Amino acid sequence: MIIGLSRISHGTIKVSELDVARDIKKIQRFIGIVPDESNLYMDFDGYENLCFCASLYGMKKDEREPRARELLKQFGLTDTLGRTFKTFSRGMKRKLTIAAGIIHKPRILFLDEPTTGIDIESARRIRDLIAKLHEEGTTIFLTTHYIEEAERLCDRIAFIVDGKIVKTGNIEELIRSVQKENIIQLTLDKKLSNISGDLKKIFENSIFEIKDNNTFIFHSLNNISLMPLIKFFDERGFKVHEAKIIKPSLEEAFLKITGISISKGNMERMSEKK
């Protein structure tokens, strides 16, 4: 709906104060779109594809040609001159498709599954590029099934189930919404013994768990800090080697909020509908 491919079902959408229903042609000049499948021409080489896409955005020849060469170099595709797009590897095709989406330096960029099905090195380069574009002020809408990718790249996240947004927020907000208790883990220099009584007296309404001989886990419904615990053990002759606050991961938040698994979520949903 935002990019103008679907009719607005209800309400209004504005992009940079322009109404999508009335001004979509103006809006499309400063947005970039990278679909999940390549939309480039198979019989053009990389340079020809980029120049053609730039012309569609109204870029003049003396502007689009150096920009195309710049992007080919940036994406490591300078050696593809003369090679048709259909001979590219999947990773190369993905990189050129993204280059085509940013040829006109859009203020807003839509990326649909940008790293799905490509090699690790290409995915890393694409993530680095996304982060750089964001630093330079580009607003980016990213859809992905890789939750660690969303966690690494996004300021704000929306969980979508069956086409509906079920929860939005930044990472801290989403994790906090499913965090039922506060957990601290301490690793000590020696075996734990004869301290449970003192712990219960000082830290009321808390649960203590000895994970192994020298690893201690502290559960509390109240806000807790590391220093009182470290002081407690220090006064009793224990040296703390490691202390950390354990929080749910974004993956755990996703599971609890949506009730579906990440790797098999779509399959499970399809099975439920049959």
Side-chain angles (χ1 to χ4, degrees):
M1 290 181 187
I2 298 173
I3 65 178
L5 290 182
S6 297
R7 289 181 181 274
I8 298 174
S9 55
H10 60 272
T12 58
I13 301 174
K14 287 191 175 183
V15 179
S16 292
E17 302 304 319
L18 295 173
D19 191 299
V20 168
R22 295 195 310 265
D23 304 307
I24 190 59
K25 293 301 180 184
K26 292 180 181 178
I27 292 169
Q28 286 173 340
R29 287 190 173 275
F30 60 79
I31 64 175
I33 303 165
V34 181
D36 60 340
E37 294 291 336
S38 173
N39 56 351
L40 301 182
Y41 287 94
M42 291 293 176
D43 292 324
F44 285 4
D45 68 14
Y47 178 75
E48 291 168 332
N49 263 304
L50 292 182
C51 287
F52 179 73
C53 290
S55 68
L56 296 179
Y57 285 110
M59 295 176 67
K60 297 183 183 301
K61 183 178 180 180
D62 60 352
E63 183 184 9
R64 64 178 179 251
E65 290 184 350
R67 175 64 173 161
R69 287 191 288 269
E70 174 193 340
L71 287 173
L72 287 173
K73 182 178 180 181
Q74 182 177 348
F75 281 86
L77 296 171
T78 50
D79 60 348
T80 63
L81 290 173
R83 287 182 53 188
T84 57
F85 185 68
K86 62 186 174 186
T87 67
F88 285 20
S89 68
R90 185 177 178 87
M92 292 165 62
K93 286 179 178 178
R94 199 71 189 128
K95 287 191 283 187
L96 191 70
T97 304
I98 293 174
I102 64 172
I103 185 92
H104 58 307
K105 298 181 179 180
R107 301 203 300 268
I108 302 171
L109 179 63
F110 294 84
L111 295 170
D112 191 358
E113 303 282 353
T115 61
T116 297
I118 62 175
D119 62 276
I120 293 173
E121 177 61 21
S122 294
R124 185 184 65 81
R125 287 179 176 271
I126 288 170
R127 291 188 187 108
D128 288 344
L129 172 72
I130 292 170
K132 186 173 184 294
L133 288 170
H134 177 58
E135 289 174 5
E136 293 172 351
T138 305
T139 297
I140 300 171
F141 286 82
L142 168 70
T143 62
T144 179
H145 283 95
Y146 302 142
I147 203 156
E148 69 277 5
E149 185 168 79
E151 190 167 7
R152 184 186 308 176
L153 294 173
C154 299
D155 294 329
R156 188 168 175 81
I157 292 171
F159 292 150
I160 301 175
V161 179
D162 292 336
K164 295 181 180 180
I165 295 175
V166 296
K167 191 79 172 179
T168 62
N170 60 39
I171 293 172
E172 282 297 320
E173 290 168 343
L174 292 170
I175 289 175
R176 200 182 309 123
S177 70
V178 300
Q179 188 172 3
K180 302 302 181 185
E181 61 181 358
N182 298 290
I183 304 172
I184 290 179
Q185 178 175 300
L186 301 175
T187 303
L188 308 175
D189 64 335
K190 56 187 177 183
K191 184 177 179 179
L192 287 160
S193 61
N194 301 322
I195 60 168
S196 59
D198 290 344
L199 277 166
K200 289 177 182 177
K201 288 178 184 177
I202 297 174
F203 302 99
E204 297 179 351
N205 302 318
S206 300
I207 298 173
F208 316 106
E209 172 190 353
I210 297 176
K211 188 175 181 180
D212 52 44
N213 284 339
N214 63 341
T215 302
F216 170 83
I217 301 177
F218 178 87
H219 301 256
S220 176
L221 295 176
N222 303 319
N223 289 326
I224 51 178
S225 61
L226 291 171
M227 291 311 298
L229 277 171
I230 293 173
K231 182 180 178 182
F232 171 89
F233 286 105
D234 183 63
E235 290 174 346
R236 286 157 181 79
F238 293 91
K239 184 177 180 181
V240 177
H241 285 316
E242 183 182 37
K244 59 183 178 181
I245 297 173
I246 299 176
K247 294 184 177 180
S249 66
L250 188 61
E251 179 177 328
E252 290 170 326
F254 177 89
L255 293 173
K256 289 180 180 178
I257 291 169
T258 65
I260 61 176
S261 71
I262 293 170
S263 58
K264 299 179 181 178
N266 290 342
M267 188 181 299
E268 290 175 359
R269 284 292 171 180
M270 287 174 66
S271 297
E272 289 171 10
K273 291 176 182 177
K274 290 180 180 178

